[in-house]
Amino acid sequence: QVQLVQSGAEVKKPGASVKVSCKTFGYTFTNYDINWVRQATGQGLEWMGWMNPNSGNTGYAQKFQGRVTMTRNTSISTAYMELSSLRSEDTAVYYCARGRAARPINWFDPWGQGTLVTVSS
Amino acid sequence: QSALTQPRSVSGSPRQSVTISCTGTSSDVGAYNSVSWYQQHPGRAPKLMIYDVSKRPSGVPDRFSGSKSGNTASLTISGLQGEDEADYYCCSYAGSYTPYVVFGGGTKLTVL
């Protein structure tokens, strides 16, 4: 079945970068976008951006532009999200989710299990 | 502050129905029939329940239904069951440029 499996929890110091991976199974990786969504503890969902694995094209929420980079390795059906200049407010669970490559973006399914990123000195 | 507005909490008794609203603007909910809803149990990843305003993915019970009027979308859960107790998030496409996608702040559903 379609499955997204993310890398394990990370602890980073302020100012550092983190790179989270999302390995996909059960479908053709290049046929769907990968989106990234984060959730701070006890808070709601926050969409960060999309990446098209076929073209490598990306689109980021304005809040993250300049700090986030979404990439992929098609040979291993894996997407990556790197967030730089980390601050304590970036402490959250980060999810990858499959989305439609065409527009409009109208669903995210399925989601990865989530990766907890903790930013602490 | 979230882009889409949802009530913080709703509640209902088993077998009753509840409706969760999601209010956006003419640039997101009102502009596109691309509203989706997600269910999230504590400690779990979100699960797609409704997409394109009112479509159900395979495997989602028909107790879950969606609708939209103007800038407000709604999720209705009928015949409430204990397992429906969870957080629910609405989401809307917002155009071909950032922010592209916006989420609501989430609604905690309590089954009494």
Side-chain angles (χ1 to χ4, degrees):
Chain A
Q1 78 277 22
V2 178
Q3 196 175 3
L4 280 61
V5 179
Q6 298 182 223
S7 49
E10 303 262 14
V11 179
K12 296 292 183 181
K13 293 193 183 301
S17 297
V18 67
K19 191 171 186 177
V20 180
S21 69
C22 172
K23 185 169 178 60
T24 69
F25 301 89
Y27 74 97
T28 302
F29 179 59
T30 51
N31 283 357
Y32 296 86
D33 283 359
I34 294 292
N35 290 260
W36 291 88
V37 178
R38 76 177 186 180
Q39 184 174 37
T41 302
Q43 302 300 307
L45 301 173
E46 182 175 33
W47 183 81
M48 299 179 68
W50 60 266
M51 187 273 300
N52 181 279
N54 185 48
S55 64
N57 289 344
T58 57
Y60 304 138
Q62 188 169 17
K63 175 177 180 176
F64 300 102
Q65 285 181 356
R67 277 209 308 144
V68 70
T69 304
M70 297 177 186
T71 57
R72 86 292 192 208
N73 183 333
T74 56
S75 67
I76 56 173
S77 301
T78 300
Y80 304 91
M81 186 283 299
E82 183 170 21
L83 189 63
S84 62
S85 302
L86 289 169
R87 34 205 187 235
S88 58
E89 310 89 88
D90 294 318
T91 295
V93 175
Y94 289 76
Y95 293 101
C96 60
R98 189 181 69 158
R100 203 167 77 122
R103 295 295 175 259
I105 302 170
N106 56 345
W107 51 259
F108 301 129
D109 181 57
W111 296 55
Q113 83 277 19
T115 296
L116 175 62
V117 175
T118 302
V119 183
S120 174
S121 55
Chain B
Q1 183 177 356
S2 300
L4 305 180
T5 301
Q6 298 180 233
R8 296 283 303 260
S9 64
V10 298
S11 62
S13 300
R15 295 178 296 283
Q16 285 188 333
S17 295
V18 294
T19 296
I20 300 171
S21 62
C22 170
T23 301
T25 69
S26 57
S27 296
D28 39 63
V29 174
Y32 306 96
N33 287 323
S34 301
V35 175
S36 52
W37 290 89
Y38 301 87
Q39 176 191 67
Q40 186 180 36
H41 288 109
R44 304 297 298 271
K47 175 187 175 183
L48 176 67
M49 304 302 285
I50 295 287
Y51 68 100
D52 286 353
V53 176
S54 60
K55 297 178 181 176
R56 276 188 314 275
S58 173
V60 172
D62 59 7
R63 301 185 295 103
F64 291 83
S65 62
S67 62
K68 189 186 89 166
S69 177
N71 297 337
T72 299
S74 299
L75 173 70
T76 298
I77 309 171
S78 58
L80 273 177
Q81 300 180 4
E83 67 212 48
D84 299 333
E85 185 163 297
D87 293 324
Y88 291 85
Y89 293 90
C90 63
C91 178
S92 176
Y93 184 62
S96 300
Y97 301 96
T98 190
Y100 297 96
V101 171
V102 289
F103 278 98
T107 299
K108 169 66 178 176
L109 168 62
T110 301
V111 180
L112 301 170

